[in-house]
Amino acid sequence: MGLFDFFKKKETAPEAQEALDKGLEKTKDGFFNKITKAVAGKSSVDDEVLDNLEEVLVTSDVGVSTTLKIIKRIEERVAKDKYLSTSELNFLLRDEIQLLLSENNSNDFRQFEYGEHKPYVIMVVGVNGVGKTTTIGKLAHKLKEANLKVVLGAADTFRAAAVDQLKLWGERVGVRVVAQPMGSDPASVAFDTLQSAVANGEDVVIIDTAGRLHNKIGLMNELGKIKQVMQKVVPNAPHEILLVLDASTGQNAFEQCKQFTEATDVNALAITKLDGTAKGGVVIGISDQFKIPVKYIGVGEKINDLQLFDKKEFVNSLFK
């Protein structure tokens, strides 16, 4: 069974949809309040409405370049249809955002099948405080529920709290954690984790890494060394480099994405803390600007509140 199939099977659609709707409430409220003000007193979509809409999207953390793309598309639709009422604007906006997301993430998570690699190695990157360790714990829980054997590697050896937190998650979800004393070489922890995973026949390895953007060269060297050492045990590891971003940081999330994608080959994104912010627009902007699939979104604090990102469901929920 692919991971996608498992997630869908385990989370009955109503439960997952309800959690998503609830998680996007703050973004939705802020977004629609702004749109309502943008079209107040107008019956048709004119230049002033488009200018106001542009401001709404930018202030909702969609990002300037993505906003300009969306506005251009809407302008083209308005020119083609000659007349569009402001009441149609929401439907039009929803369609254009969905189209944009589907164009950007051509390799959708539905295509991801776990079975090609054993162990399947995920290296998790991101700055401290974005919910990295929590995301690892919740993902490990999902995989374990799918009857996959999971091991975690505590390669963020610069913060004692990071290692302790990962151990707590390991105990909570019932998966093994490989750790060394604080200050140990992160690459050594990753090497040990992969060696023991191969010896124990484990299915998935998730490696936590230090979230320090002290400087890009230092980050690049450190992540590069971890990758090289892992490949001595599992050729082509890591199969997935998952960047965790906190939606509530808004434009900072774009900057972090830029730094990490320049430092290493990020091929998947997890966007967390959507439930605690009105800045859910970052999901749209980051997906568009970096052309990296958003695989997971965090929509709450419960252990099952890490969801697979479904573009259509996300946008539909936003426009409900």
Side-chain angles (χ1 to χ4, degrees):
M1 180 191 289
L3 287 183
F4 175 81
D5 301 321
F6 162 68
F7 271 77
K8 282 296 181 193
K9 186 178 173 188
K10 277 289 185 187
E11 289 175 359
T12 59
E15 285 170 5
Q17 191 63 54
E18 191 182 327
L20 180 62
D21 292 345
K22 193 163 182 291
L24 290 179
E25 262 171 17
K26 288 186 180 176
T27 294
K28 201 159 30 181
D29 289 349
F31 194 55
F32 284 110
N33 286 341
K34 288 175 186 174
I35 288 180
T36 305
K37 285 176 188 163
V39 301
K42 294 282 188 177
S43 59
S44 65
V45 177
D46 59 15
D47 286 347
E48 189 184 347
V49 167
L50 287 170
D51 284 346
N52 291 342
L53 181 60
E54 187 177 315
E55 190 181 334
V56 167
L57 291 167
V58 170
T59 56
S60 298
D61 288 279
V62 171
V64 175
S65 66
T66 303
T67 292
L68 293 176
K69 273 188 205 173
I70 293 167
I71 295 295
K72 189 178 177 214
R73 287 167 177 240
I74 291 174
E75 279 175 339
E76 286 166 0
R77 290 273 287 267
V78 171
K80 194 175 88 176
D81 298 342
K82 301 301 177 207
Y83 177 86
L84 271 174
S85 70
T86 50
S87 60
E88 293 173 276
L89 188 59
N90 281 353
F91 297 107
L92 185 57
L93 194 54
R94 184 189 64 189
D95 287 352
E96 290 303 339
I97 290 171
Q98 271 184 352
L99 270 170
L100 195 68
L101 285 174
S102 61
E103 287 163 18
N104 293 330
N105 286 342
S106 53
N107 85 343
D108 195 72
F109 197 48
R110 281 172 172 78
Q111 306 308 315
F112 173 73
E113 289 291 327
Y114 155 71
E116 292 171 30
H117 308 279
K118 182 170 177 174
Y120 186 81
V121 181
I122 303 170
M123 182 166 82
V124 184
V125 300
V127 300
N128 297 330
V130 294
K132 193 157 47 88
T133 313
T134 302
T135 299
I136 291 169
K138 289 178 177 179
L139 182 56
H141 168 70
K142 296 274 189 190
L143 297 172
K144 186 163 183 265
E145 278 199 324
N147 296 318
L148 295 170
K149 289 166 74 180
V150 184
V151 59
L152 310 180
D156 182 356
T157 57
F158 292 92
R159 288 188 313 132
V163 176
D164 292 343
Q165 196 187 355
L166 199 68
K167 285 179 177 174
L168 282 172
W169 269 107
E171 286 169 23
R172 184 178 176 189
V173 304
V175 302
R176 202 164 62 82
V177 177
V178 174
Q180 289 181 10
M182 191 185 159
S184 300
D185 179 9
S188 168
V189 178
F191 184 83
D192 284 358
T193 309
L194 264 66
Q195 266 203 329
S196 68
V198 170
N200 290 318
E202 277 150 333
D203 301 298
V204 184
V205 178
I206 308 177
I207 302 289
D208 189 14
T209 63
R212 301 168 307 143
L213 272 181
H214 45 305
N215 69 68
K216 204 161 51 195
I217 301 300
L219 178 73
M220 212 179 281
N221 291 342
E222 188 172 293
L223 295 178
K225 186 181 173 189
I226 292 171
K227 281 169 68 175
Q228 282 175 350
V229 164
M230 288 199 290
Q231 285 168 5
K232 290 178 182 175
V233 187
V234 177
N236 302 319
H239 307 103
E240 186 173 311
I241 299 180
L242 179 68
L243 171 61
V244 182
L245 299 166
D246 175 352
S248 69
T249 62
Q251 291 305 298
N252 275 346
F254 283 82
E255 184 54 32
Q256 287 167 26
C257 198
K258 182 173 179 284
Q259 296 281 336
F260 276 98
T261 51
E262 286 173 0
T264 190
D265 303 317
V266 175
N267 59 3
L269 299 174
I271 299 185
T272 64
K273 307 185 188 182
L274 281 164
D275 54 310
T277 183
K279 298 180 178 181
V282 297
V283 175
I284 299 161
I286 282 174
S287 163
D288 173 51
Q289 285 185 40
F290 293 95
K291 307 291 187 272
I292 298 168
V294 177
K295 279 198 173 180
Y296 306 103
I297 52 173
V299 294
E301 292 180 8
K302 295 194 204 116
I303 199 163
N304 283 314
D305 284 340
L306 181 72
Q307 290 193 359
L308 280 174
F309 179 65
D310 183 303
K311 297 181 281 284
K312 195 171 177 185
E313 282 177 12
F314 179 84
V315 180
N316 283 343
S317 180
L318 197 57
F319 281 84
K320 261 185 188 167

